[in-house]
Amino acid sequence: MRSLPADHPLHAPKPPADLERWVDAVAALTEPAQIHWCDGSDAEAAALTQAMLTAGSLETLHPDYPDCYLYRSHPNDVARVEHVTYVCTHDAADAGPNNHWMAPADAHARMDDLFRSCMRGRTLYVVPYCMGPLDSPFSRCGVEITDSPYVVLNMRLMTRMGNAALARIARETRFVRGLHSTGDLDPDRRFIMHFPEELAIKSFGSGYGGNALLGKKCHALRIASWQAREEGWLAEHMLLVAITNPAGETHYVAAAFPSACGKTNLAMLIPPASMPGWQVRTIGDDIAWLHPGPDGRLWAINPEAGYFGVAPGTNARSNRNAHQMVHRDTIFTNVALTADRKPWWEGLEGVPALDWRGQPYDPTVGPGAHPNARFTVSAKENPAYAQEADHPAGVPLSAIIFGGRRRTLAPLVFEGTDWTHGVLLGASVASETTAAATGAVGVLRRDPMAMKPFCGYHFGDYWRHWIAVGAQLTQPPRIFHVNWFRQDANGRFLWPGFGENLRVLSWMLDRVAGTAHAVDTPIGWMPTPADLPLDGLEIESARLEELLAVDTQGWREEYARLQADFAQYGDRVPAELHARIQAAVERLSR
Ligand code: OXD
Ligand code: MN
């Protein structure tokens, strides 16, 4: 059944026998017209691109955008679909109330029915990939079988894909099996199933982003979080940055925010002109795998090799690096087009001619670009790309930041008093929902560690595991909570955000160095306005006071809500977290 394309390099590694058997079994079920083993070469990408252009499923853009293409997904298939995303463990309790659950046998039967004959007339692509540097002991491999050339092209940008990954798989033999078909894009026949005990994923009926690029959310978060617990590490929804201060010292920081809360912008932050000598370089913008090191520090790698970033709002002011890097070798999904075929989205100047559906743009009908329109681009195109992203050992973390999008209550920044308190800060993250997932936008929901849609097991066990990992660290990173999104009564943002966020990061790094002052409050350590480096920033002192105030009554109510939210996780919630809430509530009541 296996047929190599004519231009397949002679040095293609021999796949392990169980991979070949799996591909044969999937082919017998799905009945593709042909099978293509992806080698990851430029020639392969060029051929796939050409075939999609000929078929009309990709479009070329203005010559100012060399090797950039536009893809329009089906209008019913524009975001992750959490309501049909399942974790299928033998014991339902292991998936936890934070996941939808189905018994593995039932899930396999349902999915196999959907997959039966679904690739007739299509090509089955075998996509070997490695999450993380090819030579890192922390990296993990997978193979995605898909019938979507768009998925192949995206996986090539987002992961280390092709022969090199296959060679590692042949050596290691253990890999995550991801089976994907766009099916008929019928939303009623769309499911994203995870089988962590089998290291397997089955995704049917969507061709979009996190539903279809199985290396990303499905493998690197849901399956990897399970694997990480078994192996003693953490798979997290975090960006990773290298921050160098004017003295030339570099610190590595990881930050978890819910989807579309500015992780990509923070990962590519441009220091304000009034902070000369600072430099921020990007290691990752979405996912970090964290390992306790033999030196008692926490070491991080970015398992991805590219960015699948939200386009709307990206411009030279909000994210100059991203704006610059999406001018070549980029796949745009669901953006609008100007009359001269330049990609366009809200936040850029001018108006488009065609909206994301390809219809003449009419602002009374809706936005030009879909609010979850994306760019896919290799991380190497980022002018601020950090070479450390390829270090097999990763980078040691000085700080971890949690945050959410909250109009009220959560101050600009506060710090956990120790690792366990930091775990509570992560577990209490809440954020107003965005367009990255289907469903209402702007509703406050609890999103612990920004992992609500991505943790592959019971949150109570997950927090326990976080505490256990911390217990192995003699030099743990400090843990902070931020909120860039506070608004005043008139809906005006209180904090300018973007590059100015470096002021908050600078205070954090001084805390790490032991040189910055903070006040001991019931919710954690907090700077006073005088503690933040604000030279060159014009901001009214009343605003700063509001940003750095602790609303006693509001926090009592918040902790009551948190306890109610924790109640659903029953006695798996670590007693330490209850104790920390209790201590905070007592201090607030004094
Ligand atoms: C993403 C998300 O696409 O979190 O990164 O939704
Ligand atoms: Mn994400």
Side-chain angles (χ1 to χ4, degrees):
M1 190 88 212
R2 179 166 178 253
S3 70
L4 294 175
D7 65 347
H8 200 74
L10 289 175
H11 63 264
K14 171 141 183 56
D18 62 339
L19 171 54
E20 290 195 297
R21 273 196 299 274
W22 177 53
V23 171
D24 287 348
V26 169
L29 176 69
T30 59
E31 300 176 26
Q34 57 210 330
I35 297 178
H36 177 93
W37 287 68
C38 295
D39 59 20
S41 64
D42 292 347
E44 176 180 82
L48 284 173
T49 302
Q50 193 48 54
M52 288 185 73
L53 288 169
T54 307
S57 50
L58 273 190
E59 294 181 20
T60 52
L61 296 169
H62 187 279
D64 283 357
Y65 291 79
D67 297 314
C68 293
Y69 301 96
L70 168 67
Y71 177 80
R72 293 197 186 93
S73 73
H74 191 284
N76 79 21
D77 185 30
V78 291
R80 287 185 290 98
V81 281
E82 292 171 15
H83 60 293
V84 287
T85 297
Y86 288 77
V87 169
C88 309
T89 45
H90 281 96
D91 184 348
D94 289 339
N98 43 306
N99 283 302
H100 299 297
W101 175 84
M102 198 180 289
D106 294 347
H108 279 304
R110 179 182 290 224
M111 296 307 277
D112 290 352
D113 273 353
L114 293 171
F115 276 105
R116 190 156 294 117
S117 311
C118 75
M119 295 191 191
R120 277 192 189 163
R122 301 183 186 180
T123 300
L124 178 159
Y125 299 95
V126 184
V127 185
Y129 63 88
C130 179
M131 301 310 292
L134 282 158
D135 53 353
S136 169
F138 304 138
S139 300
R140 294 288 180 273
C141 289
V143 177
E144 175 165 357
I145 293 180
T146 179
D147 55 9
S148 161
Y150 167 79
V151 165
V152 177
L153 291 176
N154 276 271
M155 286 291 284
R156 181 165 177 274
L157 295 170
M158 295 301 298
T159 71
R160 282 108 173 148
M161 182 274 254
N163 280 344
L166 185 56
R168 180 164 169 159
I169 290 166
R171 279 197 311 277
E172 289 184 338
T173 65
R174 206 159 184 248
F175 60 94
V176 171
R177 290 159 197 240
L179 174 54
H180 168 254
S181 170
T182 46
D184 47 12
L185 296 174
D186 175 352
D188 293 332
R189 289 157 43 83
R190 179 174 292 160
F191 292 99
I192 324 294
M193 301 281 190
H194 302 77
F195 305 88
E197 290 146 329
E198 303 166 37
L199 299 187
I201 305 155
K202 290 185 178 176
S203 164
F204 188 89
S206 166
Y208 198 81
N211 304 326
L213 313 179
L214 300 187
K216 193 173 180 60
K217 305 300 189 181
C218 299
H219 176 164
L221 288 175
R222 298 195 191 96
I223 299 287
S225 60
W226 180 283
Q227 255 186 313
R229 182 180 46 157
E230 287 184 337
E231 298 174 3
W233 49 283
L234 293 163
E236 297 301 321
H237 190 203
M238 290 179 176
L239 66 91
L240 266 179
V241 274
I243 306 175
T244 306
N245 65 19
E249 295 151 358
T250 298
H251 284 277
Y252 300 99
V253 174
F257 306 132
S259 305
C261 282
K263 284 212 306 297
T264 305
N265 291 346
L266 186 63
M268 297 174 196
L269 182 147
I270 306 277
S274 54
M275 293 183 79
W278 286 85
Q279 199 193 4
V280 177
R281 291 170 301 119
T282 319
I283 299 175
D285 81 328
D286 196 40
I287 299 178
W289 287 354
L290 314 181
H291 286 77
D295 59 356
R297 293 190 289 177
L298 189 60
W299 290 74
I301 64 163
N302 168 20
E304 301 191 280
Y307 311 117
F308 183 67
V310 176
T314 304
N315 56 42
R317 193 187 84 84
S318 66
N319 192 333
R320 191 170 79 214
N321 289 324
H323 186 242
Q324 222 169 298
M325 78 187 173
V326 298
H327 277 74
R328 53 181 310 120
D329 297 303
T330 303
I331 301 172
F332 293 98
T333 301
N334 294 341
V335 299
L337 279 185
T338 61
D340 54 358
R341 299 194 63 77
K342 289 184 177 156
W344 188 94
W345 48 80
E346 278 66 19
L348 293 180
E349 279 170 15
V351 281
L354 298 179
D355 70 12
W356 63 278
R357 295 182 196 82
Q359 302 299 316
Y361 172 61
D362 175 353
T364 62
V365 171
H370 187 277
N372 194 31
R374 300 280 178 146
F375 52 78
T376 321
V377 63
S378 161
K380 300 247 163 79
E381 300 294 338
N382 177 3
Y385 178 72
Q387 298 298 335
E388 293 96 313
D390 287 316
H391 283 187
V395 294
L397 292 183
S398 296
I400 291 177
I401 306 172
F402 292 111
R405 178 186 287 271
R406 295 192 67 162
R407 270 170 279 212
T408 58
L409 192 66
L412 177 63
V413 59
F414 57 107
E415 179 189 343
T417 50
D418 61 11
W419 177 271
T420 303
H421 188 230
V423 174
L424 178 65
L425 302 193
S428 62
V429 166
S431 195
E432 285 138 22
T433 50
T434 67
T438 51
V441 168
V443 179
L444 189 74
R445 84 166 177 178
R446 185 81 53 200
D447 192 349
M449 276 81 172
M451 283 286 279
K452 171 73 186 68
F454 308 122
C455 182
Y457 62 102
H458 194 296
F459 259 151
D461 296 339
Y462 170 70
W463 298 326
R464 226 169 255 277
H465 180 52
W466 258 85
I467 291 174
V469 168
Q472 293 176 55
L473 304 174
T474 51
Q475 300 177 72
R478 288 186 182 238
I479 303 183
F480 299 87
H481 187 286
V482 299
N483 178 17
W484 314 133
F485 300 95
R486 277 290 292 277
Q487 292 178 18
D488 66 12
N490 302 318
R492 262 195 334 163
F493 285 107
L494 289 171
W495 177 249
F498 302 110
E500 306 296 346
N501 292 338
L502 183 57
R503 299 174 190 280
V504 177
L505 300 178
S506 160
W507 174 77
M508 290 176 185
L509 297 185
D510 287 346
R511 291 290 295 163
V512 170
T515 56
H517 172 259
V519 184
D520 180 17
T521 81
I523 64 169
W525 293 97
M526 274 179 66
T528 65
D531 297 324
L532 291 178
L534 297 174
D535 281 359
L537 176 67
E538 290 202 9
I539 180 164
E540 297 149 31
S541 56
R543 280 193 183 208
L544 275 174
E545 298 287 341
E546 198 174 341
L547 277 164
L548 294 173
V550 178
D551 167 0
T552 306
Q553 181 54 25
W555 275 100
R556 271 201 224 118
E557 288 163 13
E558 173 73 2
Y559 283 125
R561 276 193 300 269
L562 187 58
Q563 273 167 325
D565 288 343
F566 276 5
Q568 65 184 302
Y569 303 109
D571 58 12
R572 295 203 191 198
V573 177
E576 293 94 323
L577 297 190
H578 287 303
R580 295 310 178 99
I581 296 179
Q582 200 48 43
V585 171
E586 274 165 26
R587 280 192 63 184
L588 287 164
S589 311
R590 264 185 224 150

